Amino acid sequence: KKIIQIGLELWIRSKCKSIDSIKLEIAGSTLELFSGKLSGIKLIAKNVNFKELQLRDVDLKSGPLRLNVSLPKERKIVNIDKSFEVEGYVSITEKGFNEIIKTSKWEWLGQWLAKNLLKAQDLDYLQIHGNIIEFQGLEVMTQKKVLYKYKLGCKAGKLIFINNETDNF
């Protein structure tokens, strides 16, 4: 079990640009493992750069997994046999989000937020004050700086932005 845990941790680290700390727990008995089944995996990590996403905290837990182990001549290969569920949370800091929208891979997100929330072409930055998020960008028509504040909410499991001035979504 420890070998699979170490292998998974190395694989996760290889998929990330950086990780400050990682803790991986494999749920399941040795007998289950030999039969190719795991009850689940729990991952807790801090300060993760995954595909230029600056994640402060990561706490994920998988559902049951089925493993397929093959034995080629030179090494063992472990593959996940079917899809599985993952639940948990990740958190991003204000500074991390501002860094994300400046990367070429994620600049589309800043542009989408600017267009849909500011009627602007670019998002310069955002600030978070409790459940209020403040966006500043450059307006398309006037080329002037614009600033909008939104309350963050949740409706039917989806993140919503409520205009702080009008209470509209």
Side-chain angles (χ1 to χ4, degrees):
K1 198 157 121 172
K2 188 72 172 168
I3 292 171
I4 290 185
Q5 183 176 338
I6 291 168
L8 280 171
E9 184 178 323
L10 289 171
W11 179 77
I12 291 167
R13 285 186 181 277
S14 77
K15 299 296 179 189
C16 298
K17 191 171 182 178
S18 64
I19 300 177
D20 280 358
S21 68
I22 184 172
K23 180 180 176 188
L24 199 63
E25 297 173 6
I26 296 177
S29 68
T30 304
L31 184 60
E32 285 177 314
L33 185 59
F34 283 129
S35 66
K37 298 176 185 173
L38 289 177
S39 298
I41 298 173
K42 182 168 177 70
L43 167 71
I44 298 173
K46 298 252 185 237
N47 299 321
V48 177
N49 181 329
F50 175 72
K51 299 189 184 251
E52 300 304 326
L53 291 174
Q54 305 290 331
L55 308 173
R56 183 179 62 188
D57 295 304
V58 177
D59 188 342
L60 303 173
K61 183 178 178 183
S62 81
L65 300 139
R66 182 116 175 97
L67 303 175
N68 184 6
V69 180
S70 60
L71 302 168
K73 290 183 180 179
E74 296 185 21
R75 60 186 170 138
K76 291 182 182 179
I77 297 176
V78 177
N79 291 308
I80 296 172
D81 202 23
K82 296 183 178 181
S83 61
F84 57 94
E85 291 184 16
V86 175
E87 64 179 42
Y89 75 87
V90 295
S91 66
I92 301 173
T93 64
E94 176 183 303
K95 179 182 179 221
F97 189 85
N98 281 304
E99 288 175 10
I100 288 168
I101 62 171
K102 300 297 182 212
T103 66
S104 60
K105 187 173 216 162
W106 294 99
E107 68 185 345
W108 67 267
L109 178 59
Q111 291 168 347
W112 184 90
L113 289 167
K115 178 183 175 188
N116 290 285
L117 299 177
L118 296 174
K119 305 295 185 247
Q121 57 195 26
D122 289 310
L123 178 63
D124 292 335
Y125 75 88
L126 69 82
Q127 287 186 325
I128 302 168
H129 310 280
N131 72 334
I132 305 290
I133 189 165
E134 181 179 291
F135 296 97
Q136 181 172 314
L138 190 63
E139 191 175 67
V140 178
M141 300 301 267
T142 64
Q143 295 296 301
K144 291 183 181 178
K145 296 278 184 182
V146 291
L147 179 87
Y148 282 90
K149 295 180 183 180
Y150 290 88
K151 290 181 202 171
L152 290 177
C154 187
K155 188 174 184 180
K158 295 182 180 180
L159 179 65
I160 57 172
F161 296 91
I162 304 164
N163 188 313
N164 216 22
E165 320 284 306
T166 65
D167 284 336
N168 290 332
F169 300 112

